[in-house]
Amino acid sequence: MNRIAVLGATGSIGTSCLDVIAHHADRLQAVALSANGRWQDLAVQAQQFRPRWCIISNPELAGAVDRGAFPRETELLFGADGLEFVASHPDVDSVVCGIVGAAGLRSAWAATEAGKRVAIANKETLVVAGPLVMSLAARTGATLIPVDSEHSAVYQSLLAGRGEDVRRVILTASGGPFRGWSRERLKDVTVAQALAHPTWTMGRKITIDSATLMNKALELIEARWLFGLTREQLAVVVHPQSVIHSLVEYVDGSVVCQLSPPDMKLPIQYALSWPERWEGVSPRMNWQEAAKLEFFPPDTDAFPALELGFEVAGRGGTCGAVLNAANEVAVERFLAGSLSFLDIPAACRQILNAHTFEPQPTLTDLLRQDAWARQEMMQWKV
Ligand code: NDP
Ligand code: MG
């Protein structure tokens, strides 16, 4: 039995993960589930999965939660400390990091420090602290397996050759709801338009990131650290069907890729089944139907966020923490109506340029820069 802590259980990744666990009840067991605010949803999940722990990470809810809604055998923990407690508990084998934003860093860190299998959806952890997390995993023997569909595809495609024979890793991008739009047309994008993703149903933050292509920028940085690549080894291609999840090009010119219908349950399951493969819960490719796989170069003029991703992947140091924090607040401001769509990458660029770069930051340095960038973005005016 693989005993799993699902952090961010009430989110898009979390609920897909619980579908996978329910489908493989003979091998997977949810022993801990977390939510931040939606404790009623968490209680419903707890009634089905009967976990040993439920964590409500917002400590202010301690007085408001109805204990009776949870199974009697489930212990309730409040606050972020509860996340670290379960992430490092000896009775937990695997931790699914499905929290959104840099808020997921501490628990991902605790799981890595404790040498767990870490199924990492929370890309922000790697964007903020990629080199530190990777060297921590190397020290503790933690197995870090990506859940992000592109990185899962790269992980699988890298099994076809030796690391030193990789020429390039090409991340695919759906292009989001505004693929083909000019910069001019993007000026008046509304929140509702940006939240309508053509191929994936996801949480609000990553959906906005997908519309600006900041998601792809974050994924470039994620890939850079996860796979030890250089900026020159990274590329992006727009592939509207979201069927090829990414590609690895080897020095001989062979390109190896992974295909499947867009559904996060597959990469989540792979992160839990690796190195095995199990019967899946996700839909399969239908080879009886005509299908088209298209590729286009990305439009870096309309989507300047992409260039930020390449730059930060190249520079490293404190850049990831600053870009990520600035973007998190920019997305909140866009959703709240106090920042326009095109301001998101523009403001991130300014704050990145203004920060005091440190090439070899500690975790404390990174958290300080994160706080600084959030403050800057809250005050940012056109
Ligand atoms: P959601 O917004 O759907 O879910 C986020 C989860 O995190 C919820 O359980 C939420 O709790 C919890 N949460 C929110 N804020 C905090 C906080 N401050 N502290 C602790 N927990 C918190 O996000 P997604 O599932 O879409 O994304 C999760 C992560 O996975 C992101 O990093 C995203 O980039 C990545 N990812 C997601 C994909 C997807 O298909 N959704 C694909 C690839 C990567 P509550 O419900 O109570 O608010
Ligand atoms: Mg992705």
Side-chain angles (χ1 to χ4, degrees):
M1 228 8 154
N2 184 347
R3 297 163 300 177
I4 303 168
V6 185
L7 307 185
T10 45
S12 160
I13 289 290
T15 49
S16 291
C17 178
L18 289 178
D19 288 345
V20 170
I21 292 174
H23 191 82
H24 295 288
D26 53 332
R27 353 189 192 216
L28 304 177
Q29 185 190 5
V31 293
L33 304 177
S34 93
N36 192 46
R38 289 186 281 178
W39 64 267
Q40 290 95 337
D41 293 3
L42 185 68
V44 172
Q45 295 178 336
Q47 291 298 348
Q48 184 186 349
F49 290 91
R50 323 293 296 187
R52 181 162 157 197
W53 301 282
C54 273
I55 306 97
I56 295 147
S57 46
N58 181 350
E60 286 167 21
L61 291 175
V65 170
D66 172 15
R67 179 71 190 79
F70 290 82
R72 202 183 307 185
E73 71 266 28
T74 299
E75 187 182 340
L76 283 194
L77 305 172
F78 291 91
D81 290 351
L83 298 170
E84 289 173 69
F85 173 79
V86 298
S88 57
H89 197 283
D91 294 343
V92 169
D93 304 308
S94 303
V95 178
V96 176
C97 299
I99 289 174
V100 59
L105 171 61
R106 280 177 55 192
S107 47
W109 185 274
T112 309
E113 197 164 38
K116 306 291 184 198
R117 171 179 298 220
V118 188
I120 188 135
N122 178 256
K123 64 191 81 184
E124 293 89 347
T125 286
L126 291 163
V127 171
V128 173
L132 297 180
V133 172
M134 295 313 288
S135 64
L136 181 66
R139 277 204 307 280
T140 63
T143 311
L144 235 64
I145 307 187
V147 165
D148 214 346
S149 55
E150 294 78 3
H151 303 73
S152 178
V154 171
Y155 196 91
Q156 296 177 57
S157 304
L158 284 173
L159 298 175
R162 301 186 306 172
E164 60 264 45
D165 296 332
V166 171
R167 180 161 176 271
R168 280 198 302 179
V169 163
I170 304 108
L171 301 183
T172 51
S174 71
F178 308 127
R179 182 173 56 85
W181 287 37
S182 66
R183 220 181 139 65
E184 189 55 33
R185 215 177 144 200
L186 288 171
K187 275 188 182 148
D188 304 317
V189 158
T190 65
V191 170
Q193 285 174 315
L195 283 174
H197 197 275
T199 48
W200 295 99
T201 311
M202 310 177 284
R204 286 158 69 88
K205 192 253 175 188
I206 184 176
T207 303
I208 301 302
D209 286 347
S210 300
T212 56
L213 290 205
M214 187 64 85
N215 183 51
K216 214 46 59 182
L218 301 178
E219 289 182 352
L220 285 166
I221 305 161
E222 180 186 10
R224 188 254 177 276
W225 301 121
L226 208 44
F227 305 117
L229 304 165
T230 62
R231 172 191 170 141
E232 291 67 37
Q233 285 177 300
L234 289 163
V236 171
V237 66
V238 174
H239 166 50
Q241 290 80 17
S242 300
V243 165
I244 295 184
H245 297 296
S246 279
L247 315 94
V248 175
E249 182 182 321
Y250 287 92
V251 282
D252 59 1
S254 271
V255 179
V256 178
C257 68
Q258 185 263 338
L259 295 76
S260 53
D263 184 331
M264 287 310 293
K265 290 194 285 295
L266 179 53
I268 292 169
Q269 176 176 307
Y270 183 76
L272 296 171
S273 75
W274 176 92
E276 297 174 13
R277 287 184 183 271
W278 303 337
E279 281 289 321
V281 245
S282 310
R284 289 167 181 280
M285 294 295 295
N286 181 354
W287 301 106
Q288 303 309 315
E289 269 174 18
K292 210 160 50 166
L293 299 177
E294 296 172 295
F295 303 97
F296 303 98
D299 179 348
T300 46
D301 178 51
F303 299 98
L306 210 50
E307 188 45 45
L308 285 169
F310 281 109
E311 180 182 318
V312 171
R315 290 179 70 198
T318 41
C319 289
V322 170
L323 176 64
N324 178 68
N327 178 59
E328 281 191 34
V329 176
V331 170
E332 278 166 24
R333 287 192 55 180
F334 171 69
L335 289 170
S338 75
L339 212 63
S340 80
F341 187 76
L342 287 179
D343 284 341
I344 299 174
C348 286
R349 157 61 68 203
Q350 281 184 16
I351 291 171
L352 181 69
N353 288 356
H355 98 281
T356 311
F357 178 73
E358 294 168 56
Q360 303 280 352
T362 63
L363 198 54
T364 312
D365 296 333
L366 292 171
L367 296 177
R368 190 167 21 98
Q369 295 270 10
D370 170 292
W372 174 83
R374 279 172 206 271
Q375 199 59 41
E376 291 292 304
M377 186 58 88
M378 276 187 270
Q379 293 160 358
W380 192 85
K381 287 202 191 70
V382 186

